[in-house]
Amino acid sequence: MDKAKRRHFCFDDRQSPWRVFGRNKMFARVSTYRPAPDRTGAPSEDTVRQVLDMQGCRGIYYLFKKDNKSLSITLWDDEKALEGSREVADRIRSETSAEQHMEILEVEEFEVLTREIKA
C-alpha cells in the first residue's frame, strides 16, 4: 500500500452523538480503487470471508462506479478492532488488488456517526 494515502478521522468523544445517546461507537475503513478497464474489482467470496472472519469486523460493502472507480467499506466494532485489523487488511487489499489488476488510490478510516438501515 505504498502509493495509497492513509488518513484516520476520529471525532472527540465529547462531540460524538453516540456518547450523547449512549450507543457504542463503530468505525469504518474506506478504500478507493481504480480497477482495470475491463473489470469491476469485486472481491471473491474467499476475500469477503477473510475480511468478515477478522475479529471485530461487522460487515463489508463494495461499490463500483461506471467511471471505473470502486470503494470498499468495512465496518468495525470499535477503534481497537479497526486498528488491530490494519496489518491483515493491508495484506488482503494488496493481494486482491494484484489479482484483480487494480490500483489502490487511498485508504481512510472514519468514526461512524450515523448507522441506520431501513428494514
Side-chain angles (χ1 to χ4, degrees):
M1 195 184 85
D2 301 329
K3 295 179 184 178
K5 300 177 196 172
R6 181 184 301 255
R7 290 187 280 182
H8 180 78
F9 297 88
C10 182
F11 297 89
D12 184 326
D13 281 349
R14 292 168 290 169
Q15 298 172 356
S16 172
W18 295 119
R19 185 168 192 238
V20 174
F21 297 111
R23 295 186 182 186
N24 294 328
K25 292 182 184 180
M26 183 186 287
F27 288 80
R29 180 176 295 116
V30 179
S31 302
T32 306
Y33 306 94
R34 175 129 359 255
D38 58 337
R39 299 178 182 234
T40 65
S44 67
E45 287 183 30
D46 183 56
T47 298
V48 171
R49 182 192 51 75
Q50 287 181 60
V51 172
L52 293 175
D53 284 348
M54 284 193 272
Q55 185 161 354
C57 183
R58 299 287 303 270
I60 181 172
Y61 290 89
Y62 190 84
L63 311 168
F64 178 72
K65 190 175 172 185
K66 290 185 181 185
D67 71 352
N68 212 41
K69 184 177 181 182
S70 60
L71 300 173
S72 67
I73 302 169
T74 53
L75 300 171
W76 302 90
D77 282 334
D78 52 36
E79 192 168 17
K80 184 178 177 182
L82 176 72
E83 291 170 355
S85 69
R86 281 188 191 132
E87 187 176 317
V88 174
D90 287 349
R91 179 188 54 79
I92 293 170
R93 187 181 310 103
S94 294
E95 290 173 359
T96 301
S97 296
E99 291 168 7
Q100 295 282 349
H101 306 285
M102 61 184 174
E103 178 184 1
I104 303 167
L105 301 177
E106 188 170 43
V107 178
E108 300 175 289
E109 295 175 348
F110 298 87
E111 179 180 344
V112 177
L113 298 180
T114 303
R115 55 178 175 170
E116 298 294 331
I117 294 179
K118 189 175 179 179

